[in-house]
């Protein structure tokens, strides 16, 4: 009997002071303490029933506007177990070969793709062609070319494509974004983003170039990369980058262990970021302006996120999982055409992929890569 890992490997190789609620805007506060407003429920098929899908599925039990109505996996045992746990009938359980048949299933509105990076491109396009909206985990694809093809396929099908940027709905993140937009930090001068952890199992898909498409930058560094863009509020015009590799056995050719990268923005703001599979105690965002600063540490973990500004601590806590908030907000985007404060659409995913391409190019050439 095939395992999910065997199937993924096969597919991958073929695909190659107290600062409290007073500062929060209404949007941030509602995301923190309340379920989404009443409205139609987004019926979601989860694709790829691994570790993160488990977290999403459990969190969705606290979602007011999204529910699991379909399952897609290469492991029959998981389909049976998850089907029983989440009350998904056999007719709404699919494998990777036959999931195109979801086009005939009126109980599924959207597919949430939570598989290794190299599989996203094909699976997103197939889901859109099957007439379903798509939510795709980040990075959306392996490169900007793939990302643009995914966006085009969803547009052609008349379906929305969203990316799993859960931090775009996180209340402290939104509050700092609001402060910067309102001018409370003054003119922004500098951003620092640190993202990384010590990778364990050397056999996992994250260090398989055919499945991951890269290394730490693709997996964890994208938080700092994406974060610098929405925290600064501009798009970079140049990047430089350097790679450090201390374990070439674990991190083979094409799988980056640690990359430091720098970005420049039109206004003169600079950003310095670190992405690593060999360091813990990172996960920090720091935004500095001429009137004040804002810091998150941890900045992108599953919570609780903690922060402070020049006004004092951001003393805010949430009793809702980030993924529950994300799914409620994405249901509103798909079903109600709600516009999020920070974009989560396919075009946003492509912007990150353009920068990832440029960073890898900068590592190889040793020079500055101009953008735009």
């Amino acid at each position: 009997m095939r395992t999910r890992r065997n199937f993924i490997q096969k597919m991958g190789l073929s695909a190659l002071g107290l600062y409290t609620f007073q500062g929060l805007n209404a949007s941030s506060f509602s995301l923190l303490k309340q379920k989404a407003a009443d409205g139609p429920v987004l019926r979601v098929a989860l694709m790829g029933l691994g570790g993160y899908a488990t977290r999403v599925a459990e969190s969705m039990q606290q979602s007011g506007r999204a529910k699991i109505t379909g399952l897609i996996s290469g492991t029959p045992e998981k389909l049976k177990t998850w089907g029983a746990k989440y009350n998904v009938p056999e007719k709404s359980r699919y494998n990777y070969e036959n999931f195109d048949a979801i086009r005939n299933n009126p109980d599924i509105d959207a597919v949430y793709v939570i598989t290794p990076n190299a599989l996203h491109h094909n699976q997103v396009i197939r889901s859109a062609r099957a007439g379903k909206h798509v939510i795709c985990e980040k990075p959306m694809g392996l490169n900007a070319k793939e990302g643009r093809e995914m966006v085009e396929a969803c547009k052609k099908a008349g379906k929305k494509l969203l990316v799993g940027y859960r931090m775009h709905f996180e209340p402290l993140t939104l509050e700092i974004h609001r402060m910067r937009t309102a001018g409370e930090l003054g003119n922004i001068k500098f951003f620092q983003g640190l993202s990384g952890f010590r990778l364990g199992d050397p056999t996992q898909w994250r260090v398989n170039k055919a499945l991951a498409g890269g290394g730490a930058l693709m997996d964890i560094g994208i938080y700092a990369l994406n974060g610098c863009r929405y925290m600064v509020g501009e798009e970079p015009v140049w990047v430089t980058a350097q790679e450090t590799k201390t374990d070439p056995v674990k991190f083979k050719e094409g799988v980056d262990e640690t990359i430091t990268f720098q970005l420049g923005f039109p206004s003169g703001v600079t950003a310095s970021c670190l992405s690593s599979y060999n360091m813990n105690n990172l996960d920090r965002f720091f935004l500095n302006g001429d009137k004040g600063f804002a810091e998150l540490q941890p900045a992108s973990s599953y919570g609780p996120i903690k922060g402070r500004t020049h006004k004092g601590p951001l003393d805010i806590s949430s009793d809702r999982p980030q993924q529950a908030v994300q799914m409620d907000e994405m249901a509103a985007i798909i079903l109600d055409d709600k516009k999020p404060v920070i974009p989560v659409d396919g075009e946003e995913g492509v912007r990150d992929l353009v920068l990832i391409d440029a960073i890898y190019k900068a590592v190889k050439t040793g020079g500055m890569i101009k953008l735009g």
Side-chain angles (χ1 to χ4, degrees):
M1 184 174 293
R2 290 181 305 168
T3 65
R4 178 174 181 268
R5 176 173 291 179
N6 289 337
F7 177 77
I8 287 176
Q9 288 175 342
K10 177 182 176 183
M11 291 291 290
L13 291 173
S14 65
L16 300 174
L18 187 62
Y19 182 60
T20 59
F21 295 116
Q22 295 177 358
L24 286 172
N25 61 12
S27 175
S28 299
F29 187 84
S30 66
L31 291 181
L32 179 65
K33 286 295 182 184
Q34 303 173 4
K35 287 189 176 182
D38 292 338
V41 172
L42 183 70
R43 298 167 298 178
V44 181
L46 297 181
M47 178 184 290
L49 308 182
Y52 188 66
T54 298
R55 183 178 291 273
V56 170
E58 291 173 352
S59 298
M60 283 180 68
Q61 305 316 298
Q62 296 186 50
S63 170
R65 294 203 56 186
K67 66 178 293 187
I68 301 168
T69 60
L71 299 168
I72 304 168
S73 173
T75 307
E77 292 84 357
K78 285 187 177 180
L79 288 172
K80 182 177 180 180
T81 301
W82 283 54
K85 181 175 182 178
Y86 296 110
N87 196 30
V88 177
E90 287 191 29
K91 69 181 182 67
S92 294
R93 305 174 198 170
Y94 305 86
N95 59 45
Y96 295 120
E97 285 89 355
N98 69 13
F99 79 82
D100 304 271
I102 60 173
R103 65 167 50 89
N104 302 316
N105 192 331
D107 296 327
I108 296 173
D109 302 313
V111 176
Y112 193 163
V113 177
I114 315 178
T115 55
N117 307 336
L119 309 183
H120 293 177
H121 177 261
N122 177 263
Q123 291 169 342
V124 165
I125 291 175
R126 287 173 64 186
S127 297
R129 288 175 177 171
K132 306 301 178 182
H133 300 290
V134 190
I135 302 168
C136 181
E137 262 311 305
K138 56 197 174 302
M140 192 174 77
L142 297 186
N143 50 57
K145 179 178 182 295
E146 280 197 359
R148 293 185 184 101
E149 290 171 354
M150 295 159 76
V151 168
E152 182 59 30
C154 290
K155 285 184 177 179
K156 185 175 181 180
K159 298 300 173 181
K160 292 183 179 178
L161 171 58
L162 307 182
V163 185
Y165 291 118
R166 58 188 165 81
M167 304 315 296
H168 291 203
F169 307 109
E170 196 280 317
L172 296 188
T173 301
L174 287 173
E175 173 60 2
I176 293 174
H177 183 276
R178 182 201 66 77
M179 291 178 67
R180 189 265 300 160
T181 302
E184 294 177 23
L185 304 179
N187 295 320
I188 301 302
K189 300 296 186 180
F190 176 74
F191 173 85
Q192 181 187 54
L194 308 177
S195 299
F197 59 91
R198 286 186 65 86
L199 190 77
D201 179 10
T203 66
Q204 63 181 283
W205 69 265
R206 287 178 176 81
V207 287
N208 181 337
K209 176 67 160 61
L211 293 175
L217 178 64
M218 302 284 285
D219 181 40
I220 189 70
I222 195 169
Y223 286 102
L225 179 63
N226 183 255
C228 79
R229 295 177 45 244
Y230 63 71
M231 286 295 187
V232 171
E234 301 177 32
E235 293 299 323
V237 292
W238 60 258
V239 301
T240 56
Q242 307 80 36
E243 180 179 4
T244 302
K245 185 171 294 192
T246 64
D247 189 347
V249 175
K250 188 174 186 178
F251 303 103
K252 296 178 174 58
E253 181 67 26
V255 179
D256 47 286
E257 175 186 328
T258 299
I259 291 181
T260 54
F261 54 97
Q262 305 77 41
L263 307 98
F265 297 84
S267 66
V269 179
T270 56
S272 177
C273 301
L274 172 67
S275 167
S276 181
Y277 268 159
N278 196 30
M279 283 181 259
N280 290 326
N281 307 311
L282 296 175
D283 197 9
R284 177 179 184 260
F285 286 0
F286 179 77
L287 185 65
N288 198 32
D290 59 13
K291 291 184 180 179
F293 73 90
E295 178 184 44
L296 293 175
Q297 189 173 15
S300 59
S301 71
Y302 297 144
I305 302 301
K306 296 181 179 180
R308 66 189 182 103
T309 76
H310 58 285
K311 297 181 180 181
L314 289 170
D315 188 17
I316 305 166
S317 61
S318 174
D319 57 1
R320 299 194 63 211
Q322 294 169 358
Q323 292 79 9
V325 175
Q326 172 193 317
M327 293 309 298
D328 280 345
E329 289 298 301
M330 287 189 165
I333 293 169
I334 291 173
L335 300 176
D336 306 337
D337 288 323
K338 180 177 180 179
K339 184 177 180 180
V341 174
I342 307 174
V344 293
D345 54 28
E347 286 81 0
E348 178 76 356
V350 170
R351 293 184 189 102
D352 279 344
L353 291 172
V354 167
L355 292 177
I356 287 174
D357 288 348
I359 290 169
Y360 281 134
K361 183 176 180 180
V363 166
K364 290 182 178 180
T365 64
M368 175 185 288
I369 306 302
K370 295 187 177 181
L371 305 164

